[in-house]
Amino acid sequence: MSLTEPEAFGELFDRYYDALRRYVARRLGPEAADDVAGETFLVAFRERGRYDPERGGVRPWLFGIATHLISRHRRLEASRYKTLARTPVEAEDDTLDRVVDRVSAEAARPALAGALAALAQRDRHALLLVVWAGLSYQEVGEALGVPTGTVASRVNRARRKVRHALGGRDPLRDDRLDEEGDRDE
């Protein structure tokens, strides 16, 4: 990020906006996604002089800003998960296989949303940055300003609580988690 060439910042926007928006939409809903993703880049642009590449990459820095802004919307996020937990499952017209897959995934949605709402905010941030944003444990640590080991503990604790809430199933299971050293079996 060039302080002398602010237009170079547009490349970061082009590269990361869609991923940030999707992450925020999953956390807060589509209504808030554009605003929070846009605000992330406004904050990043204003604070670009404070960015230190020695502390980590641009991607975790941006997701860290987004996560901080999501924290300001914590009540909205908790409300969204509680609403999803109460929402009945509806199948859409689609091919039979896609309907079966969607219904299976949607059947777990209320319990999953309730389990996510019940997590401590710091655990939820770590888990969802790994699972939904696709950040590595190291990147999550950079984004949240905590050691990688703390990230691993938070993700492990969150996954254990979600799995327990879902009767032993783990719909958040992601091969990334195993690659990072968080194995269940």
Side-chain angles (χ1 to χ4, degrees):
M1 284 179 285
S2 174
L3 291 174
T4 59
E5 298 178 41
E7 58 277 355
F9 196 81
E11 293 177 29
L12 293 178
F13 182 88
D14 292 342
R15 178 182 281 166
Y16 296 111
Y17 179 81
D18 289 339
L20 274 165
R21 189 198 177 287
R22 281 191 305 274
Y23 175 69
V24 174
R26 292 181 89 174
R27 298 284 308 264
L28 300 177
E31 310 81 25
D34 288 329
D35 291 341
V36 174
E39 189 177 353
T40 297
F41 284 95
L42 287 174
V43 170
F45 185 79
R46 280 194 310 263
E47 301 292 327
R48 71 189 187 280
R50 299 172 78 190
Y51 170 71
D52 179 6
E54 297 294 317
R55 290 190 54 216
V58 172
R59 181 174 173 233
W61 180 63
L62 290 170
F63 275 95
I65 293 169
T67 299
H68 177 74
L69 294 172
I70 288 168
S71 293
R72 291 186 186 170
H73 293 83
R74 186 171 64 135
R75 283 179 286 184
L76 175 61
E77 181 183 33
S79 172
R80 175 173 165 71
Y81 290 137
K82 288 175 185 172
T83 300
L84 285 173
R86 293 188 306 265
T87 304
V89 176
E90 296 178 16
E92 296 177 356
D93 282 340
D94 212 334
T95 63
L96 181 58
D97 290 339
R98 289 181 70 182
V99 169
V100 170
D101 290 345
R102 181 173 173 100
V103 168
S104 296
E106 291 292 322
R109 184 182 71 179
L112 176 59
L116 290 172
L119 291 175
Q121 184 176 357
R122 65 180 187 266
D123 293 349
R124 185 170 50 243
H125 285 327
L127 178 69
L128 296 180
L129 281 168
V130 169
V131 176
W132 286 352
L135 270 61
S136 68
Y137 283 21
Q138 180 178 345
E139 289 174 318
V140 173
E142 293 168 14
L144 300 178
V146 298
T148 304
T150 301
V151 172
S153 296
R154 289 177 182 179
V155 170
N156 185 42
R157 181 175 39 250
R159 287 185 65 225
R160 190 174 50 248
K161 288 179 179 181
V162 168
R163 197 171 34 250
H164 177 76
L166 299 177
R169 294 189 342 258
D170 188 355
L172 296 175
R173 186 88 175 139
D174 185 344
D175 291 339
R176 271 184 96 63
L177 297 176
D178 284 342
E179 292 171 12
E180 303 286 337
D182 186 14
R183 299 188 193 281
D184 287 334
E185 278 108 30

